[in-house]
Amino acid sequence: MFQLTHLEELEAESIYVMREVAAQFERPVLLFSGGKDSIVLVHIARKAFWPAKFPFPLLHIDTGHNFDEAIQFRDELVYNLSAKLIVGYVQESIDTGKAIEEEGFNASRNVLQTITLLDTIEEFKFDTAIGGGRRDEEKSRAKERFFSHRDEFGQWDPKNQRPELWNVFNGRKRMGEHFRVFPISNWTEMDVWQYILKESIALPSIYFTHEREVFNRDGVWLAFAPFMRLKENEKIEVKQIRCRTVGDITCTGLTLSTANTVEEIIQEIAATRITERGGRYDDKRSDAAMEDRKKEGYF
Amino acid sequence: MELFRFTTAGSVDDGKSTLIGRLLYDSKSIFEDQMDAVKRASLKKGSEHINLALLTDGLRAEREQGITIDVAYRYFATPKRKFIIADTPGHVQYTRNMVTGASTANAAIILIDARNGVTEQTHRHAYIASLLEIPHIIVCINKMDLVEYREEVFKRIKSEFTDFAFHVFPEKDMRFIPISALKGDNVVKPSLNMAWYDNGTLMNVLETIPALNDNDMIRGRFPVQYVIRPESDKYHDYRGYAGRVAGGIFRKGDVVKILPSGISTTIASIDNFDCPVEEAFPPMSVTIRLSDDLDISRGDMIVHDDRPPRNETDIEIMLCWMNQKPLRPGNRYFVKHTTNDVRCIVKEVNYILNINTLEKAEGVKTVAMNDIASVRLRLTRSIFFDSYRENRITGSLILIDESTNETVGAGMIL
């Protein structure tokens, strides 16, 4: 009696944060990647404002290097919810010379997304961007606030963050500055999956097992796409795999798996000994890869 | 499975990082790639042992300097509970960080080195835990392996702490556990070296401490956070007040009072995404509909009238100051209290507390970074509040600098 389960309490906290965003900011936007965390965010946003529609658009930063299934899922979700979707294209940032395409075998547009993201925030005058970052994902994220201040250049100053006490969130800022807000800060990967199961939330098919053309680079299975260059010792194979996280195709490590349902995925995660981002090529660039990207304004 | 939040205060010397590492490791919450990274980093720094402290240091500067700058949050779960650890550093800016970590905690773990007994630092930790009204205190007497696991050492430290704690928090739920974080005694696995102790391991205690009454279940408090008006054909006349229950239990049909207007009405429905609920209690987020059409907006409060909140413009608070720029009488700040925004002027600094000795320094007018002070504020308009001791949500507030917008102070209303 009078005791919430951990999922109910996490949901209550996230709903509270969503409503705080709507109350404290004038032009919020929800960062939507088509990955499970942002799908959960959308679900929580629907609950927070029901029976009204959630009062902000979705923003997808499109690297052009996507899993087709994720894009198809995105478009269906937007259609079903009659939500507003804004897409910022990394290709446009490259074409206008603002971003410079990386070269070499590990070329990825992951880092370039920051430029497109900050430009889009500027263009639409968004004053806060809601993201699906979680503190358990990565060590610099463990230090992140629910309401995370960004200066005029979109930069994060991790050594000088505002203290955050109780459930009182300070969203005050000067003109031109903005906030990143992380409603599911306190969720773990397992919480997200258990919640997806409990709420019967639909996901893109790439989260479940399927056959795909892949190749192995430094121990990480990557999906093959025509624009990717293989090294001499790398060969394309067909494997039974699924995505544990969904990001840009060039840096999303795949898991060899036969899990076909959310229950099976939960069992798989409970038994795994590698973290969720352990397969992310973008984090392997250095020990502080995420912190460095975040300081510049990354998600 | 339920959620349980606790904070650990202390420095590396007390074995705090080792203890957290032990909890995570023995509950199988550390993954191979994290462990590999820690092993690599330990070797790089020339350390002989795998340094579990590196698991908790998230920022580049922290790893480089070997210090922890900021509160880090850690997660682990057992089949009984999901735990959130607010891991607060002991050296730099300890007051600011400990207060932050303590503000949302159900329990505080206070670590005492068995060789040193109760120290000034123990006093400081215990005082902050009491100031922030953390409901449960778990005193871990660590490094028992270095005192031959002797029961009399444990007993002596327990009685030293109890004598001191009697003045600080007479009514608190306190537990004492003899442990060795390094060797693993009584952390997750019961110790074979201390047969004289049988009150449960730290993990047992964390899993079984009753958390049910950690929230205020008595005073009905619902700060209105956001007004939901769909303005769609299907929900044309829908008007719901969204918020998170801060105290008490609200039920459909309850007579409630709206503050500040003072008008009484009844609860028509408590909504929670397309299906109504019978009752709402802390910390649920719900939407309340009322039987009358009233003018209610963010910052108003829906309350049960049998225990009304206080309503004043002058408030006395215990203040934890968190900014380089000191607080002085006459300074003005923004105040955030529940969903309310007001402004204030500092009328009086009553005293500054030395949290190592608990002595009050009167006559000092400047409150500096990491000071804890008794202060009187005058607000631009009255707010509805409870004392922090009664309700940690309606009794807390933050101060914001008007020019930089930084959060500069945390206040607990007396």
Side-chain angles (χ1 to χ4, degrees), chain A residues 254-274:
Chain A
L254 307 169
T255 309
L256 298 174
S257 164
T258 54
N260 201 27
T261 62
V262 176
E263 286 94 333
E264 284 171 11
I265 290 172
I266 288 174
Q267 282 173 12
E268 188 180 287
I269 293 166
T272 187
R273 303 300 309 138
I274 303 286

Side-chain angles (χ1 to χ4, degrees), chain A residues 5-6 12-13 16 19-20 50 135 143 145 161-162 164 166 170 186 191 273 275 291-292, chain B residues 1 5 30-33 60 62 70 75 82 96 100 103 225 274 285 287 298 388 405 407:
Chain A
T5 66
H6 74 295
E13 178 176 85
Y16 176 81
R19 289 168 172 170
E20 221 34 40
W50 183 90
R135 288 170 178 159
K143 306 269 166 169
R145 302 293 192 258
Q161 298 191 76
R162 295 180 182 178
E164 204 160 71
W166 301 290
N170 174 5
N186 277 332
D191 297 328
R273 303 300 309 138
T275 58
E291 180 182 341
D292 293 343
Chain B
M1 194 155 92
R5 301 172 203 246
I30 295 177
F31 294 99
E32 276 170 15
D33 51 327
R60 188 197 286 271
E62 293 177 326
D70 204 342
Y75 303 84
K82 172 195 162 109
R96 163 183 157 146
T100 302
S103 71
Q225 194 186 1
D274 72 13
S285 282
T287 302
R298 176 175 164 91
Y388 185 75
N405 292 319
T407 302

Side-chain angles (χ1 to χ4, degrees), chain B residues 150-161:
Chain B
R150 290 204 312 269
E151 185 180 11
E152 64 265 28
V153 175
F154 173 73
K155 278 189 163 163
R156 178 172 48 79
I157 295 174
K158 182 179 171 180
S159 97
E160 273 177 42
F161 187 90

Side-chain angles (χ1 to χ4, degrees), chain B residues 183 233 266 279:
Chain B
K183 301 279 170 68
D233 291 341
T266 54
E279 53 200 9

Side-chain angles (χ1 to χ4, degrees), chain B residues 243-256:
Chain B
R244 202 168 182 195
V245 183
I249 301 152
F250 289 89
R251 293 186 175 85
K252 185 182 169 181
D254 278 3
V255 175
V256 289

Side-chain angles (χ1 to χ4, degrees), chain B residues 12 61 90 131 135 188 193-194 206 212 222 228 245 259-260 265 308 335 343 358 367 372 396 405:
Chain B
V12 183
L131 182 70
V188 175
N193 298 309
M194 290 178 275
L206 287 171
L212 199 57
F222 187 82
I228 293 180
V245 183
L259 299 172
T265 179
V335 176
R343 296 174 66 218
L358 299 189
V367 182
I372 287 177
S396 55
N405 292 319

